[in-house]
Amino acid sequence: MRIVTHERSGPYKMKVRDLPGAEKLDPNSKLLDLPLEFCGCGLSRDKPFCDDSHRITRDEEPGKIYVYSESKERIISGKFYRSEDKI
Ligand code: FES
């Protein structure tokens, strides 16, 4: 098992023209302006693309850590403590 953390709660938005290799396309191609959204929250089932799963993170509070199951249920939420914090 591996736990990967994400702090971002929304996608990275870009256009085809921002991708490596886009310079090889016809500069007049409408494809260059096609918008793309890449998952930044880590919850998408369609990675690397955003599938709007990030919406379930909207009520997350700063300073807390949240864990989601494969079925996108929130299974743990709690305060995150650094090792040097006095509890
Ligand atoms: S940013 Fe991850 S699903 Fe949208």
Side-chain angles (χ1 to χ4, degrees):
M1 173 185 268
R2 177 171 291 123
I3 295 177
V4 179
T5 62
H6 296 265
E7 292 188 18
R8 193 173 176 91
S9 57
Y12 297 97
K13 296 181 178 185
M14 52 189 352
K15 294 189 173 185
V16 168
R17 71 175 61 254
D18 301 321
L19 296 175
E23 67 280 356
K24 294 176 186 167
L25 295 172
D26 176 349
N28 297 316
S29 173
K30 291 181 179 176
L31 184 67
L32 291 168
D33 290 323
L34 185 71
L36 299 169
E37 293 189 346
F38 293 99
C39 179
C41 75
L43 296 170
S44 176
R45 289 183 187 209
D46 194 24
K47 289 185 191 80
F49 302 104
C50 170
D51 69 354
D52 286 336
S53 293
H54 61 268
R55 292 173 190 238
I56 64 173
T57 68
R58 285 185 176 158
D59 66 341
E60 290 181 353
E61 297 174 34
K64 287 191 173 182
I65 189 167
Y66 295 84
V67 177
Y68 295 90
S69 69
E70 291 279 329
S71 59
K72 309 246 171 71
E73 292 174 302
R74 186 178 292 168
I75 53 175
I76 298 175
S77 68
K79 178 131 175 63
F80 176 71
Y81 294 97
R82 297 170 301 175
S83 59
E84 63 267 23
D85 287 343
K86 291 185 178 179
I87 301 175

